[in-house]
Amino acid sequence: MIDATELELTPQDFTNIAQSMEEEIGHVIVGQREVVHGILICVLAGGHVLLEGVPGLGKTMLIRTLSEVLDVQFSRIQFTPDLMPADITGSNIIAEDHLTGGRHFQFQPGPIFANLVLADEINRATPKTQSALLEAMQERQVTVARTRHHLQEPFFVMATQNPIEMEGTYPLPEAQVDRFLFKLTIGYPSQEELVDIVSRTTARELPHARKVATGETVLRMITLARDLPIARPVVDYVARLVMATHPGSEYGGEANQYVRFGSSPRGAQSIVTAAKIHAMLQGRYNVAFEDVRFVALPALRHRIILNFEAEAEGITPDSIVRDILRNVPEHAR
Amino acid sequence: MLNSVRQEAEFLGRLAEIGRLLKLQSAIVWMLRSLAFALAVDAVMLAVARYHAFTPPAWLLLALPAALAGVGLAVGSAQRYPPQIIAQHADRRLALKERLTTALELQTGRSTGVLAEAQMDDTMWHVRRIEPWRSFAPRMPDREGKFALGAIVLTAALIALPNPGKAAIQRQAAVAEAIKQEAQKLQKTATDIKQNEDLTGNHSQDQQTIDQILAQLQKQLQQTSLSADQALAKLEEAQQRLQANQDSNADQLAEALQALAANFDEQPLLQQVAQDIRSGDYNAAARDLNALGQQASSLSGDQRDSLAASLRAAAAAQAKAGNSQLSDSLGQASDALNGSQADATAAFRQAAGSLQNGGQRSQAQQNLNQALNQVQQSANSFAQATGSEGSAANSGSSFNSGATPYDDSTDGLGQPGSLGQNGQQPGAGQPGDGQPGSGTGDGSGSGSQSGETVYTGSGSHFEGVPGQQGASGQVATSDDNSLADPAQNDSNVPYEQVIGRYQQQASQAMDRAAVPLSYRQIVKDYFSSLAPRR
């Protein structure tokens, strides 16, 4: 395990640690390279990730494996319809002072007080409970009984959800969805991957990942990556991409006629931050257009709200983003 | 941040080298664009030349591409490539993933930090592997190259391939030139007529009508893009308008005036008047006659008797010639000589007025015939120049059928022709084109015209004779008629008396170039054939 406190973190170290993390996860998780890569980008960008996929595709396993790779405090919250906000954030309980015999309220932290929080099947909880995550995700703090409790850094929320068409699910509020850096979709494994999964998980010894980095190392990696230079034309390109998601934008093609609400500025921030990580994971020390294109889909797909026509015609946010990526030129004309 | 000044200079130097190559490439692109454009313009000119009377000069076809290629080269060379653009070009062309663009921004902003230095090191590693002359070697731009090649092929094809419309173009050019020439001739005729008007002081309504018709015709012919058919139609329309103003009795009037001059010659007191009439100055003739009336009381009795007798004889001759107005006024003047001075003055004033009026009418008809003749000549010349068959192939309304080439009642050269008014009038092609028309008129001619002069399609001579009076619209063209007994064809003037003068007038007309060169021999032959047999 590499402890960054012991050494000066160089760009090369960043790349090496990140590659080690990816390799360790790959020991446990079969296939899903893009999803693993996306999660790693989110971690190193200090962002939250929303994983979507039908049950049984290894979403929870993936997050749990990540917690094994990182030497950080991990907690898991299984979201159910009867889950209450206090079950997540914690609550004040009456505590007795053994010396004086007096009683007082004492804050009992909830599972949100961890570095890596797995919000499993987040869309099975009611919107009220889902909203309990809002402050934690954005402000890195929890307010209970008018008392603010800061969360530890690094802090990541790794949420999984089933497709909203499934029974017993509640769509996430737009405000909360917007707080996820990426929304990653997990698809079915290929036949070859499926054989590998079965082979690995039905043996006597299950595969385990070793810890690669501490929380401090991750924090330093996050800080380092934010310094990665990005040229103005690339930032301009990101701005045009985000503006293209807005209805009636001059940069959008025919696709954005299906958009009711486009991406917020947070979308642009997400793209740039994630693109920096992607560039460093590629061993490059500047952001290229291709980095932007790589991260644009997971960074924008959950920030685009489609209108009725889109739903009627089967248009998905993914197709909108792909269309925008096709139409918006890298350099302004 | 660049590690050293040397590294920074190396980076910027390499960008500058790439920039020069980009500029060279830009010059090539702009030169090809301009060249292709110029060749396209050449092709358009050559294409236009296939359908219009326009021949682009060879020097222009060569100079335009050369000049525009030079301009394109200059424009391309003048293109500015700032370092940012060069870096973007290089990143894109060499797939450097925005390394140069980012490095340039870092270098410009003097950024520092671990990642900035790593980025610069990484960029320099790539920059040192760039071979500008290999990566940015000037090359033929695909789109511009294809366009220029296509324009060259098209231009060459238009030059090399025969032009199927060449004959039509030449004919069109000939039409335009013919129209121009005939417009100039009409201008000259109009000027002559105007001068004649000014000279004689004759500004009658008839004269103004002629001037107006000629002016309008000139204006119409000066219009651009006038086709042969349109030009001929304009000429035909003008001719019809002129013919509409023709006086059928103009010949008789002219002859009557000449006869009056002959009568006055025999009277010493009227010889000046006769001279004025013969010279065509009817205003002077009227003045002299009026003055003679005012002096009537100062004449002796013998002189008054002699003058009265001459006036009576002239009145009788005018009556016979059908000029009743002048006949009456002359008779009254003759009678007034035996009355008071006041009566004589009034009668002579009236006679002078009649003389002046008749003279002006006669002159107007002469001018009209001159104009008509020029219009006919223009039509014929125009038809010859354009290779057209003229309108002889059309219906009886033809320029050539029955048209009198030059008709001057005073001069005695034929009678005003009537085009297409006489039914069954044979159409005739123009002399020399060998294409006789076959026009058939639709009217039943009144036969009121006398002295129809006819071009025959095959003959290069005139047929017909002055003084001949048609009866059924059929125009006799045989020589027998031309030499017929005056009594048989109701001629008023013996043929032998007028032929000499007509021949002389024809000679003068030819001297004035009123008769086209190609017709002069025909006119000479005509009068030779009419010469009295001795």
Side-chain angles (χ1 to χ4, degrees), chain B residues 392-396 398 400-402 424-429 436-441 454-457:
Chain B
N394 300 328
S395 65
S398 160
N400 299 325
S401 60
Q424 303 301 319
Q425 182 170 344
S438 58
T440 54
V454 178
Y455 281 121
T456 58

Side-chain angles (χ1 to χ4, degrees), chain B residues 12-24 81 86-87 89-90 94 100 127 130-132 136:
Chain B
L12 293 176
R14 192 55 65 93
L15 282 184
E17 192 176 357
I18 294 171
R20 283 192 290 276
L21 288 168
L22 288 175
K23 190 175 278 195
L24 179 61
Y81 283 94
I86 297 170
H89 269 284
L94 304 175
L100 298 188
V127 163
I130 296 174
E131 294 180 50
F136 295 91

Side-chain angles (χ1 to χ4, degrees), chain A residues 81 123-125 162 164-170:
Chain A
N123 62 338
R124 290 207 181 277
N162 299 318
I164 57 171
E165 292 83 4
M166 297 190 72
E167 290 290 328
T169 60
Y170 299 91

